[in-house]
Amino acid sequence: MAGYLTTHVLDTAHGRPAAGLTVELYRIEGESRSLIRAVQTNADGRTDSPILPEEEFETGIYELVFHAGDYLDARFSPPDSPRFLDEVPIRFGMAEESHYHVPLLISPFGYSTYRGS
């Protein structure tokens, strides 16, 4: 089985998927951080395809950056200035050829993540 990476964002404050949230994927090599792609979540809070598909998969260290501030500003008013949450970076390693799923549960004042399936 070849490896690949997926994500899913849920808005826990509203109890629904976080549609229209921008997510960036970076590969980390030493002190270098290289953008692989930027996508937006669909109506189900997922990307339309794996954020890192099988044909591009490499083991290593990666970072997902969720642009939560823009998403939250559009759904809550008025936003605090500065907002409590803005960009949510999650740095993680992928050590084997496998399916990695990194979901984000988000609200205006907190978030959580885990390795899903």
Side-chain angles (χ1 to χ4, degrees):
M1 174 181 179
Y4 62 103
L5 172 66
T6 58
T7 190
H8 187 197
V9 186
L10 297 172
D11 178 337
T12 58
H14 291 106
R16 63 178 174 234
L21 191 144
T22 299
V23 183
E24 296 171 336
L25 174 66
Y26 293 87
R27 181 165 171 84
I28 309 299
E29 296 180 273
E31 297 299 316
S32 176
R33 181 177 152 201
S34 303
L35 178 65
I36 296 174
R37 73 181 32 86
V39 296
Q40 281 203 330
T41 56
N42 60 25
D44 193 34
R46 301 175 186 273
T47 57
D48 289 331
S49 59
I51 194 162
L52 186 63
E54 291 180 9
E55 59 273 8
E56 296 176 34
F57 185 87
E58 293 180 56
T59 59
I61 300 171
Y62 292 83
E63 185 175 80
L64 284 168
V65 177
F66 297 88
H67 290 263
D70 294 338
Y71 171 83
L72 294 168
D73 283 356
R75 283 144 187 89
F76 294 92
S77 60
D80 292 333
S81 182
R83 56 172 85 99
F84 181 71
L85 288 177
D86 190 15
E87 293 180 356
V88 176
I90 301 172
R91 190 168 288 192
F92 56 96
M94 296 191 293
E96 59 189 40
E97 296 276 331
S98 182
H99 174 203
Y100 286 82
H101 182 68
V102 181
L104 181 72
L105 309 176
I106 189 80
S107 74
F109 298 103
Y111 66 90
S112 65
T113 191
Y114 54 93
R115 181 177 176 186
S117 59

